[in-house]
Amino acid sequence: MYVDPPAPQPRQPGEKPPASSSANPLDGQPRTWEFNPEYQRLVTAWQTVLPLLDTLTTSLDKAYQLARSPQTWDAPVGKRYVEDIAQWRSRLALYRQAVLTSISDEAADTPRWIPSSAGAPHAFQ
């Protein structure tokens, strides 16, 4: 069984945007920040996919347990069905790991906060 990668964290109540650094002389200008909509999309994707994957895993685990029961199968073909379900379970585990890892990796590379263009002065408007 695999361990799920770290989930992207949604914006917490009271969470503040990053403080401006003074390395750039233009940082003295007021800057507004907004929670990155791309990061929020990844949070939503994680929250949508995880319950679906859990439902699939639970369903296959239940079918596997029932198939392994000697009361379910009374024929040699039952062993083949149990092996098939075991392969489906391992494929689902690999699929789950791949999907959640791709979301987690993308979230790790996506900034949580981005500078907002709202209220910023623009030339030639």
Side-chain angles (χ1 to χ4, degrees):
M1 185 56 67
Y2 297 100
V3 176
D4 289 342
Q9 297 300 313
R11 182 177 178 187
Q12 302 299 317
E15 183 179 352
K16 304 272 190 229
S20 298
S21 65
S22 59
N24 188 346
L26 297 178
D27 280 345
Q29 298 178 358
R31 174 174 276 178
T32 58
W33 294 88
E34 67 177 317
F35 196 72
N36 191 347
E38 289 300 313
Y39 190 88
Q40 181 60 44
R41 181 184 59 81
L42 294 168
V43 170
T44 303
W46 182 281
Q47 292 171 344
T48 302
V49 165
L50 190 61
L52 297 173
L53 290 171
D54 286 340
T55 301
L56 287 172
T57 302
T58 302
S59 298
L60 271 179
D61 287 347
K62 183 179 177 183
Y64 182 70
Q65 293 304 324
L66 288 172
R68 289 183 59 206
S69 171
Q71 295 142 350
T72 304
W73 300 107
D74 192 20
V77 73
K79 183 177 178 183
R80 187 178 55 186
Y81 286 118
V82 170
E83 291 170 359
D84 286 348
I85 294 173
Q87 287 179 359
W88 295 337
R89 289 176 70 216
S90 65
R91 287 179 191 158
L92 178 61
L94 291 172
Y95 179 74
R96 175 190 180 107
Q97 187 70 18
V99 168
L100 295 180
T101 299
S102 67
I103 294 172
S104 180
D105 289 350
E106 183 75 22
D109 294 339
T110 304
R112 288 176 57 84
W113 294 90
I114 56 172
S116 174
S117 61
H122 297 284
F124 308 114
Q125 279 194 349

